[in-house]
């Protein structure tokens, strides 16, 4: 049995950043493994550790060469090997259109033929929250979005899981495999990569492919959504900033609290 | 240019976002010069339809199948309705359940999808507004073609007035049972604990800025000194540093205290959903561009490890 996990390298702007054109300038961006994918990786790796029948966990990413550093982190945490797909037509669109990402991921899933796929609920940077379900439906598979408890029965090939809804309510659901699960934070405790894991990751395979290699036509990944403008949002409140050093700021907050009558 | 908006309900209650979807749907229909149709699927569709039959709506379609949300039923029903009413725009709430079928149904209809939209303008081509980078920036997105779907962020549109003169009809929809591969077997409420933050009048809330579990003492000290209840953002609860009943936000508690102090919390939309109803919001954060400052009444740009000890001193001294 094989498990596939999708991993995205996400960009995070530094505290002070500038927008040039319709992008945050590259020098203000830091890159990291998407938080939700960290939990998805852990869920996949644990499934393998707990079941002899699971032979392999394969990581898949759509991203430029830079993202290999991030993919190595997933390899260091127990993913066995990785596939990275990238091609010119994907530049720009990869943060805008879940369906075009799903086309590429589906091609890799079909080639790898796993039993289960884990994705994150959302990517920290673009937060489309849509790629996992788009992928499942494209494959004609089952799915469940926002899974925060997961139990898979290998014999019946049924997943018993909880989906985290709003307001502290969880839905208890059974889903038939093959299926895609979008994993929510808190479902497990993602491990830190051990030194040994980091060393081993250096020799694990990252297969690099372009659209031709995975058999996807450039027209299928053309984003139908285009970014026109990016700006810092206007404040919705008239925030009154308390200036000065820490002591003055604390005094200012204290005054507000006394004023509101909540503390003396 | 017919718009199809889909309502949402859970455990016998129509969710607030449904009437917000009516307002947004009307806006979209007006922009594009078309009718607004609303679908209500599963559960007590008769009662739900009565509420949804607002004057802003042309027709409400009832799909009387099953009790609770099931993504296979929703996907099939919405796909068929979209075709049968001749819709070219689809509007779905950006909720956990909305995101459990919107990507599937738009895939089948082969129409572009923009999620978590906070505003749009569809006079001519659709331009949708949505955030990126955890709310640090807003973007304007152009969508190709005249057919598309958006999922709308809850509480961004005013709810439409419930009830009215819209037609209510039974939808002509066939659900293929063999295509249902998931079964909802029940619901569970997250554990309750010693305090119920939804009752609190004063909350000191801590986020990932605290960095390490050991540092939490400092915030507990502050809450004690001020006589406030302790709340937290999700990562602290995910890490099991604090119990689930302390989590404020979309999947935790919705709180409405007189004063909410957000310390080391960035202000992600799912956190804000739980605390924006506070009377006075005070934010302490090192990052001047943190989205929490967009909704804060009082802002302190500073390091919590400098400001909090001083604040404790203010009240201990
Ligand atoms: C379906 C779903 C449901 C969710 N439900 C919830 C929910 O119910 N509640 C919730 O909170 N989140 C929820 N989230 C998660 C949410 O998206 C964010 O990931 C989360 O709120 C971030 O928490 P944070 O602000 O503490 O952390 P971060 O976003 O990492 O922010 C930490 C902040 O601390 C500041 N900081 C760092 N060091 C210091 C310092 N020394 N002094 C002062 N400030 C400092 C940083 O500038 C930053 O702004 C949900 C997400 C999803 C997808
Ligand atoms: N470029 C990508 N490469 C690999 N996986 C991705 C990519 N984009 C999204 N995903 C997966 O889909 C999930 C949801 O992303 P999104 O729909 O973009 O918010 C992420 O947590 C990833 O697991």
């Amino acid at each position: 049995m094989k498990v596939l996990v999708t991993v995205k390298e996400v960009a995070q702007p530094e505290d002070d950043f500038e927008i040039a054109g319709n992008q945050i300038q590259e020098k203000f961006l830091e890159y990291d493994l998407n938080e939700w994918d960290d939990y998805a990786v852990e869920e996949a790796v644990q499934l393998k550790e707990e079941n002899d029948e699971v032979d392999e966990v394969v990581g898949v990413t759509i991203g430029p060469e830079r993202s290999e550093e991030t993919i190595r982190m997933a390899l260091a945490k127990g993913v066995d090997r990785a596939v990275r797909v990238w091609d010119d037509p994907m530049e720009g669109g990869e943060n805008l259109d879940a369906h075009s990402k799903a086309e590429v991921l589906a091609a890799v899933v079909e080639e790898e033929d796993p039993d289960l796929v884990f994705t994150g609920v959302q990517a920290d940077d673009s937060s489309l929250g849509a790629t996992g379900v788009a992928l499942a439906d494209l494959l004609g598979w089952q799915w469940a979005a926002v899974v925060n408890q997961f139990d898979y029965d290998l014999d019946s090939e049924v997943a018993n899981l909880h989906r985290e809804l709003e307001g502290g309510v969880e839905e208890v659901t059974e889903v038939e495999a093959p299926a895609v699960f979008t994993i929510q934070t808190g479902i497990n405790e993602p491990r830190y990569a051990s030194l040994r894991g980091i060393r081993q990751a250096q020799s694990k395979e990252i297969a690099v492919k372009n659209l031709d290699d995975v058999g996807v036509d450039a027209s299928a990944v053309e984003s139908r959504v285009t970014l026109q403008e990016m700006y810092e949002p206007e404040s919705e409140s008239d925030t009154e900033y308390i200036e000065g050093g820490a002591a003055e700021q604390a005094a200012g907050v204290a005054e507000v609290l006394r004023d509101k009558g909540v503390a003396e | 240019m017919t718009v199809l908006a889909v309502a949402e309900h859970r455990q016998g209650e129509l969710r607030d976002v449904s009437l917000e979807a009516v307002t947004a749907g009307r806006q979209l229909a007006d922009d594009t010069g078309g009718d607004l149709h609303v679908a209500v699927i599963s559960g007590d569709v008769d009662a739900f339809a009565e509420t949804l039959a607002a004057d802003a709506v042309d027709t409400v379609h009832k799909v009387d199948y099953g009790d609770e949300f099931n993504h296979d039923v929703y996907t099939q029903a919405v796909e068929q309705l979209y075709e049968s009413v001749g819709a070219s725009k689809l509007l779905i709430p950006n909720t956990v359940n909305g995101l459990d079928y919107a990507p599937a149904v738009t895939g089948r209809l082969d129409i572009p999808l923009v999620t978590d939209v906070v505003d749009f303008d569809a006079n001519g081509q659709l331009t949708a507004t949505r955030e990126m980078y955890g709310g640090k920036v807003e973007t304007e997105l152009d969508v190709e073609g005249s057919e598309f779907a958006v999922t709308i962020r809850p509480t961004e549109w005013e709810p439409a007035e419930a009830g009215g003169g819209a037609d209510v009809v039974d939808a002509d929809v066939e659900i293929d049972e063999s295509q249902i591969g998931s079964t909802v077997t029940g619901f569970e409420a997250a554990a309750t604990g010693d305090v119920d933050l939804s009752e609190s009048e004063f909350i000191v809330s801590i986020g990932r800025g605290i960095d390490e579990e050991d540092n939490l003492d400092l915030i507990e000290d502050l809450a004690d000194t001020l006589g406030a209840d302790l709340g937290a953002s999700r990562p602290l609860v995910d890490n099991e540093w604090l119990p689930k009943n302390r989590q404020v936000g979309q999947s935790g508690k919705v709180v409405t205290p007189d004063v909410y102090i957000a310390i080391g919390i960035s202000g992600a939309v799912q956190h804000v959903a739980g605390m924006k109803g506070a009377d006075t919001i005070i934010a302490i954060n090192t990052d001047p561009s943190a989205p929490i400052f967009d909704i804060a009444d009082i802002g302190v740009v500073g390091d919590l490890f400098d400001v909090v000890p001083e604040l404790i001193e203010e009240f201990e001294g």
Side-chain angles (χ1 to χ4, degrees), chain A residues 125 137 170 172 185 231 237, chain B residues 108 133 140 185 188 238 296:
Chain A
D125 47 6
D137 195 60
E170 296 177 7
V172 186
T185 59
Y231 48 89
S237 62
Chain B
R108 290 183 199 182
Y133 302 110
E140 304 280 337
T185 59
E188 271 179 30
D238 284 343

Side-chain angles (χ1 to χ4, degrees), chain A residues 139-187:
Chain A
L139 292 164
W141 287 18
Q142 260 303 318
W143 70 86
V146 194
V147 174
N148 72 339
Q149 194 176 313
F150 183 83
D151 198 14
Y152 185 65
D153 186 74
L154 278 83
D155 296 324
S156 63
E157 298 184 351
V158 171
N160 285 285
L161 54 88
H162 285 201
R163 292 182 55 233
E164 183 193 82
L165 307 179
E166 292 85 358
V169 177
E170 296 177 7
E171 178 196 285
V172 186
T173 304
E174 289 174 6
V175 176
E176 297 162 14
V180 178
F181 303 99
T182 84
I183 299 298
Q184 174 66 318
T185 59
I187 188 174

Side-chain angles (χ1 to χ4, degrees), chain A residues 6-8 34 36-37 60-63 94 98 101 105 118-123 126-132:
Chain A
T6 59
V7 284
K8 185 180 197 282
N34 181 32
W36 279 267
D37 296 345
V60 183
T61 196
I62 304 169
E94 84 276 11
K101 288 196 285 192
L105 295 173
F118 293 120
T119 76
V121 166
Q122 65 171 33
S126 50
S127 304
L128 305 178
T131 303

Side-chain angles (χ1 to χ4, degrees), chain B residues 14-67:
Chain B
L14 205 58
R15 303 195 67 229
D16 293 346
V17 67
S18 298
L19 285 170
E20 295 161 23
V22 167
T23 304
R26 186 69 255 165
Q27 182 190 332
L28 191 51
D30 286 347
D31 276 1
T32 54
D35 287 349
L36 171 60
H37 293 246
V38 172
V40 55
I41 304 163
S42 308
D44 190 353
V45 288
D46 292 324
F48 297 150
E50 217 171 288
T51 306
L52 292 165
D55 290 333
V57 176
D58 293 290
T59 309
V60 179
H61 301 263
K62 299 182 290 183
V63 180
D64 189 5
Y65 188 100
D67 294 325

Side-chain angles (χ1 to χ4, degrees), chain B residues 207-208 233-234 247-251 264 266 270-271 285 303-304:
Chain B
R208 185 142 50 190
S233 66
R234 179 179 189 114
Q247 184 179 318
V248 173
Q250 170 183 312
S251 43
S266 63
Q270 296 92 353
H271 185 80
N285 199 305
D303 190 323
L304 74 91

Side-chain angles (χ1 to χ4, degrees), chain B:
Chain B
M1 292 299 193
T2 300
V3 176
L4 179 65
V6 188
E8 177 161 324
H9 59 85
R10 189 166 81 205
Q11 294 174 291
E13 305 264 355
L14 205 58
R15 303 195 67 229
D16 293 346
V17 67
S18 298
L19 285 170
E20 295 161 23
V22 167
T23 304
R26 186 69 255 165
Q27 182 190 332
L28 191 51
D30 286 347
D31 276 1
T32 54
D35 287 349
L36 171 60
H37 293 246
V38 172
V40 55
I41 304 163
S42 308
D44 190 353
V45 288
D46 292 324
F48 297 150
E50 217 171 288
T51 306
L52 292 165
D55 290 333
V57 176
D58 293 290
T59 309
V60 179
H61 301 263
K62 299 182 290 183
V63 180
D64 189 5
Y65 188 100
D67 294 325
E68 292 292 345
F69 173 79
N70 173 292
H71 63 229
D72 295 309
V73 174
Y74 269 61
T75 304
Q76 290 186 42
V78 173
E79 183 186 7
Q80 289 174 40
L81 265 173
Y82 184 91
E83 305 280 11
S84 70
V85 303
S88 61
K89 303 24 181 152
L90 181 59
L91 194 144
I92 293 173
N94 194 76
T95 55
V96 172
N97 281 343
L99 290 172
D100 196 40
Y101 71 95
V105 76
T106 51
R108 290 183 199 182
L109 293 167
D110 195 20
I111 58 175
L113 167 68
V114 186
T115 58
D116 203 17
V117 164
V118 296
D119 197 8
F120 57 72
D121 179 348
N123 291 291
Q125 246 196 334
L126 174 71
T127 304
T129 308
R130 71 187 302 278
E131 295 177 344
M132 267 182 85
Y133 302 110
K136 284 196 151 192
V137 305
E138 233 165 58
T139 59
E140 304 280 337
L141 304 173
D142 278 2
V143 178
E144 203 180 283
S146 59
E147 289 197 50
F148 54 80
V150 291
T151 65
I152 59 156
R153 177 177 288 185
T155 74
E156 290 291 328
W157 278 266
E158 288 296 319
E161 198 175 323
D167 289 341
V168 176
V169 300
D170 287 313
D172 186 16
V173 161
E174 285 287 334
I175 303 297
D176 178 356
E177 221 162 307
S178 71
Q179 296 299 309
I180 299 180
S182 69
T183 320
V184 179
T185 59
F187 293 95
E188 271 179 30
T192 51
D194 45 347
V195 284
D196 180 1
L197 290 180
S198 59
E199 306 282 330
S200 300
E201 284 168 7
F202 184 18
I203 296 174
V204 165
S205 204
I206 181 67
R208 185 142 50 190
I210 196 66
D211 210 29
E212 280 177 31
E213 186 173 14
D214 287 344
N215 298 337
L216 267 180
D217 288 351
L218 176 67
I219 305 302
E220 279 164 358
D221 205 7
L222 176 67
D224 270 355
T225 306
L226 295 176
D229 291 321
L230 181 66
S233 66
R234 179 179 189 114
L236 278 73
V237 175
D238 284 343
N239 289 348
E240 296 181 6
W241 295 354
L242 287 169
K244 177 86 188 166
N245 65 319
R246 299 287 175 170
Q247 184 179 318
V248 173
Q250 170 183 312
S251 43
K253 289 283 179 195
V254 174
V255 302
T256 50
D258 296 334
V259 176
Y260 187 91
I261 313 185
I263 307 176
I265 293 176
S266 63
V269 57
Q270 296 92 353
H271 185 80
V272 169
M275 46 67 78
K276 65 169 178 237
D279 237 21
T280 299
I281 296 168
I282 303 176
I284 304 175
N285 199 305
T286 41
D287 176 5
S289 67
I292 192 76
F293 289 122
D294 295 343
I295 60 153
D297 301 288
I298 307 290
V300 173
V301 178
D303 190 323
L304 74 91
F305 296 106
D306 297 331
V307 178
V308 171
E310 296 282 354
L311 191 54
I312 293 172
E313 201 155 296
E314 281 284 333
F315 288 90
E316 263 181 352

